[in-house]
C-alpha cells in the first residue's frame, strides 16, 4: 500500500452522490458540517495520508474513497484543548495541529484558506463558539454561525434523549449514536488477522458486509476449541437482523454487538484497540487492501 506520496486533489470538493450521503448519514447518525480532502498524520515520524474527511458533530470521519459509504476510521475531537495557527509549508499546502487531551494530530489542507476554514469549523463545534479570526471570509463566518446553532440544538436533543432513556426499561436506539467502537472498515481476511494479532483487544469485529450495504460480525470463539466464525447482519429499515438459525432482530448495531457478547457467556468482549486513532495500524491501512 502506498502512503504519504499522494497529493490532495486540486478539484473543488463536491458533495457525495445522494445515496452515499444518505448511507453515511445513517451509519454515523450525525449531521454533516464540513467535508473535503485532508492529509493526516499522528506524529512527525509518520507520513501524511490523504483522506476524504467529514466533520460530523464533534467527530472526524476518514474515508479512503470519496464515494465509500463506510468510513475507514473516526476520531472524537470533543476533547480538543487547542489548535495551532495555520501555517504554509514549502509545497504551498497549509498545516495546523490539533491538541487533544491525550494526543496531537497534524492536518494538512490544500491552501491556507482551506486550512483556516477547517480549523474554524473544528473550533466552532468543539468550543461552541465561532473563533474571532479576522482572516475568515464573511461567507465562512456565516456558515460557522449556522453550524454553531445546529450543534447546540443537536446537543440539547442528545441530552434530552439521554435523560428520557433513563426512565425506560428498554430505551430505543437513538439516531444520534455513532458506530460501535469495534467497527472497522476491513475485509473478512483483515478482520481475522486483526483478531489473531491482537488477542488482548477483544474477540469481535463489526465490519461492512460484502455487498457494502449491510454488515458482518467476525468472532474468534474461545469457549471450546478456538475458531473463527462470521455472521451476517442485515439492515432492515431502522432495525438490524442477525442471520442465525432463528433470526434475531435488534434496534441498533450496538445492540447487535451486545447480543453476541451476552450469548458467549461473558467470555467475549468487543474488539477495541485502545486510543484507536490515527496512530493505530488499523487507522493507517486502507480498507479492503
Amino acid at each position: 500500500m502506498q502512503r504519504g506520496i499522494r497529493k490532495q486533489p486540486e478539484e473543488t470538493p463536491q458533495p457525495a452522490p445522494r445515496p452515499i450521503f444518505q448511507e453515511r448519514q445513517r451509519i454515523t447518525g450525525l449531521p454533516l458540517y464540513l467535508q473535503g480532502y485532508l492529509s493526516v498524520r499522528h506524529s512527525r515520524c509518520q507520513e501524511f495520508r490523504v483522506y476524504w474527511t467529514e466533520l460530523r458533530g464533534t467527530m472526524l470521519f476518514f474515508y479512503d474513497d470519496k464515494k465509500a459509504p463506510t468510513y475507514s476510521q473516526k476520531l472524537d475531537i470533543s476533547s480538543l484543548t487547542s489548535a495551532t495557527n495555520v501555517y504554509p509549508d514549502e509545497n504551498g499546502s497549509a498545516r495546523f495541529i490539533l491538541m487533544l487531551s491525550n494526543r496531537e494530530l497534524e492536518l494538512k489542507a490544500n491552501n491556507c484558506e482551506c486550512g483556516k476554514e477547517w480549523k474554524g469549523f473544528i473550533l466552532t463545534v468543539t468550543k461552541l463558539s465561532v473563533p474571532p479570526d479576522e482572516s475568515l471570509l464573511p461567507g465562512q463566518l456565516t456558515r460557522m454561525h449556522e453550524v454553531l446553532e445546529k450543534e447546540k440544538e443537536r446537543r440539547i436533543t442528545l441530552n434530552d434523549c439521554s435523560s428520557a432513556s433513563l426512565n425506560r426499561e428498554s430505551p430505543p436506539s437513538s439516531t444520534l449514536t455513532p458506530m460501535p467502537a469495534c467497527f472497522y472498515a476491513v475485509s473478512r481476511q483483515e478482520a481475522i488477522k486483526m483478531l489473531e494479532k491482537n488477542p488482548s483487544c477483544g474477540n469481535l469485529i463489526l465490519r461492512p458486509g460484502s455487498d457494502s450495504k449491510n454488515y458482518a460480525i467476525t468472532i474468534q470463539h474461545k469457549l471450546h476449541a478456538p475458531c473463527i466464525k462470521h455472521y451476517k447482519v442485515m439492515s432492515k429499515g431502522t432495525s438490524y437482523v442477525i442471520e442465525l438459525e432463528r433470526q434475531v432482530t435488534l434496534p441498533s448495531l450496538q445492540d447487535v454487538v451486545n447480543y453476541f457478547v451476552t450469548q458467549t457467556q461473558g467470555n467475549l468482549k468487543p474488539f477495541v484497540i485502545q486510543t484507536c486513532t490515527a496512530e493505530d495500524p488499523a487507522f493507517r491501512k486502507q480498507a479492503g487492501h
Side-chain angles (χ1 to χ4, degrees), residues 19-69:
I20 297 176
F21 172 83
Q22 292 175 332
E23 180 67 4
R24 289 176 178 175
Q25 187 76 23
R26 184 185 68 79
I27 291 174
T28 63
L30 292 167
L32 175 63
Y33 294 149
L34 188 63
Q35 61 182 340
Y37 288 106
L38 278 181
S39 294
V40 181
R41 72 174 178 181
H42 179 76
S43 64
R44 293 189 178 276
C45 63
Q46 298 172 349
E47 295 178 330
F48 278 101
R49 167 81 181 279
V50 179
Y51 291 97
W52 178 260
T53 307
E54 291 184 344
L55 174 62
R56 292 179 176 271
T58 55
M59 302 286 294
L60 287 174
F61 292 91
F62 301 97
Y63 298 83
D64 289 319
D65 189 315
K66 179 180 177 180
K67 296 183 178 181

Side-chain angles (χ1 to χ4, degrees), residues 11-272:
E11 65 180 85
T12 300
Q14 299 295 325
R18 186 169 181 78
I20 297 176
F21 172 83
Q22 292 175 332
E23 180 67 4
R24 289 176 178 175
Q25 187 76 23
R26 184 185 68 79
I27 291 174
T28 63
L30 292 167
L32 175 63
Y33 294 149
L34 188 63
Q35 61 182 340
Y37 288 106
L38 278 181
S39 294
V40 181
R41 72 174 178 181
H42 179 76
S43 64
R44 293 189 178 276
C45 63
Q46 298 172 349
E47 295 178 330
F48 278 101
R49 167 81 181 279
V50 179
Y51 291 97
W52 178 260
T53 307
E54 291 184 344
L55 174 62
R56 292 179 176 271
T58 55
M59 302 286 294
L60 287 174
F61 292 91
F62 301 97
Y63 298 83
D64 289 319
D65 189 315
K66 179 180 177 180
K67 296 183 178 181
T70 55
Y71 56 86
S72 297
Q73 279 298 331
K74 61 182 179 181
L75 176 66
D76 185 351
I77 56 173
S78 60
S79 63
L80 180 74
T81 57
S82 63
T84 66
N85 291 328
V86 177
Y87 59 95
D89 62 14
E90 64 277 6
N91 298 318
S93 299
R95 304 184 185 186
F96 63 102
I97 300 173
L98 301 181
M99 268 76 76
L100 305 176
S101 59
N102 58 350
R103 66 184 62 85
E104 295 181 0
L105 189 73
E106 187 171 7
L107 302 176
K108 181 168 67 173
N110 277 333
N111 51 57
C112 284
E113 181 181 332
C114 183
K116 290 178 180 179
E117 181 177 44
W118 273 101
K119 177 186 173 183
F121 273 88
I122 288 172
L123 289 175
T124 297
V125 299
T126 55
K127 304 301 181 182
L128 288 182
S129 175
V130 176
D133 189 340
E134 296 181 356
S135 65
L136 291 171
L137 300 176
Q140 293 173 326
L141 289 172
T142 298
R143 289 168 53 210
M144 287 177 195
H145 281 287
E146 293 173 351
V147 163
L148 175 60
E149 294 306 311
K150 290 180 180 179
E151 179 62 14
K152 287 181 178 179
E153 292 177 3
R154 183 186 77 87
R155 296 197 190 185
I156 291 174
T157 302
L158 182 60
N159 290 335
D160 289 343
C161 290
S162 299
S163 298
S165 66
L166 294 177
N167 300 321
R168 296 173 181 166
E169 292 183 1
S170 180
S173 173
S174 169
T175 56
L176 296 174
T177 302
M179 290 288 281
C182 56
F183 173 81
Y184 287 86
V186 296
S187 66
R188 172 184 288 209
Q189 292 303 317
E190 287 175 325
I192 293 174
K193 291 179 181 178
M194 289 173 68
L195 290 173
E196 292 176 342
K197 293 181 179 180
N198 301 275
S200 63
C201 295
N203 299 61
L204 178 153
I205 287 179
L206 174 67
R207 57 182 175 81
S210 58
D211 58 4
S212 299
K213 296 180 181 179
N214 296 291
Y215 299 89
I217 291 279
T218 296
I219 295 179
Q220 187 172 38
H221 284 279
K222 293 184 177 180
L223 293 178
H224 303 292
C227 66
I228 297 287
K229 290 189 176 182
H230 310 276
Y231 302 89
K232 291 183 179 180
V233 180
M234 309 297 290
S235 176
K236 301 289 185 181
T238 58
S239 301
Y240 298 88
V241 177
I242 305 173
E243 296 291 334
L244 301 171
E245 291 184 5
R246 177 177 295 180
Q247 290 187 343
V248 176
T249 302
L250 296 166
S252 72
L253 287 173
Q254 186 60 57
D255 289 319
V256 171
V257 172
N258 295 341
Y259 171 83
F260 280 104
V261 172
T262 301
Q263 291 302 309
T264 50
Q265 303 175 16
N267 290 335
L268 175 69
K269 61 180 179 179
F271 183 96
V272 181

